[in-house]
Amino acid sequence: MSVSKIYQTFLRKFPILSQAVQAGALMGAGDFIAQTVVEKRPMKDYSLQRTAQFTSIGFFIAGPTLTVWYGFLAKRFGSVGGGSVALKKMACDQLLFAPCFIVVFLTALGLVQRKPLDSIQKDITRDYKDILITNYKLWPPVQLVNFCFVPLQYQVLLVQFVALVWNTYLSWKTQSSH
């Protein structure tokens, strides 16, 4: 059996777990890239703990949440229908999901970093607007393509590959002012 067939079978049988593993791996990879390429940290200063924190957010929060969210959008608007369906899904995703999920992400990151709640609130106040604006520069066209052309079971995967860049940005942005 080919790797592709094994992946498709696993995705069909265990959709949330599959997406959780993908999201965790790609969020961890994004943090690794942020530390080693963007921040140019030498390996002796590399924080495995930070990468583990990002990986855990991807595995426990981002992957499962995105899987359920895309399933909801497919049920609400349909999984086919061309541009108008894709536009409705993208609008919902960017106007409802993204602003809320950024808060969830920043809160989860603060919690895994064991920050006090007042510090998490300060981080959200400091970073939220910039992250949301950057989100709107990247994600609307990606999501239009995703919702228009990509089958539902592969939508989280496509988003997670684009999110490798996004996760690198998030890691850098949330750590850059510390």
Side-chain angles (χ1 to χ4, degrees):
M1 188 182 270
S2 72
V3 172
S4 175
K5 294 243 186 235
I6 292 169
Y7 172 74
Q8 289 174 4
T9 300
F10 192 71
L11 190 58
R12 191 176 56 256
K13 287 184 178 184
F14 309 102
I16 292 178
L17 179 59
S18 301
Q19 305 297 5
V21 169
Q22 288 171 180
L26 291 167
M27 284 194 75
D31 178 71
F32 178 81
I33 293 167
Q35 288 189 59
T36 59
V37 177
V38 178
E39 298 167 22
K40 296 179 172 62
R41 285 184 179 202
M43 285 310 288
K44 67 178 181 66
D45 295 332
Y46 171 74
S47 172
L48 183 58
Q49 179 180 358
R50 186 174 125 184
T51 298
Q53 291 166 344
F54 270 79
T55 300
S56 67
I57 291 170
F59 183 83
F60 291 108
I61 297 172
T65 302
L66 288 169
T67 303
V68 171
W69 174 246
Y70 290 157
F72 166 78
L73 289 176
K75 285 180 185 165
R76 175 70 177 92
F77 298 108
S79 56
V80 292
S84 66
V85 169
L87 193 59
K88 288 175 190 174
K89 287 179 174 180
M90 185 276 296
C92 261
D93 185 65
Q94 292 301 300
L95 298 174
L96 301 175
F97 183 81
C100 296
F101 192 75
I102 291 168
V103 172
V104 169
F105 168 79
L106 292 171
T107 302
L109 182 61
L111 291 172
V112 299
Q113 292 174 337
R114 298 180 182 190
K115 290 183 175 182
L117 292 178
D118 64 325
S119 178
I120 294 171
Q121 176 60 43
K122 287 177 187 172
D123 291 349
I124 292 169
T125 301
R126 181 193 66 229
D127 294 335
Y128 180 81
K129 183 179 175 185
D130 287 343
I131 292 172
L132 186 63
I133 289 168
T134 304
N135 170 84
Y136 287 144
K137 292 176 183 176
L138 173 66
W139 288 110
V142 169
Q143 291 295 47
L144 279 174
V145 168
N146 197 28
F147 294 137
C148 200
F149 300 111
V150 178
L152 178 61
Q153 70 268 26
Y154 300 115
Q155 288 178 356
V156 174
L157 178 62
L158 171 73
V159 164
Q160 288 302 330
F161 275 109
V162 174
L164 187 56
V165 173
W166 177 247
N167 296 333
T168 300
Y169 163 76
L170 285 177
S171 176
W172 169 81
K173 177 65 179 169
T174 58
Q175 303 301 315
S176 64
S177 56
H178 301 149

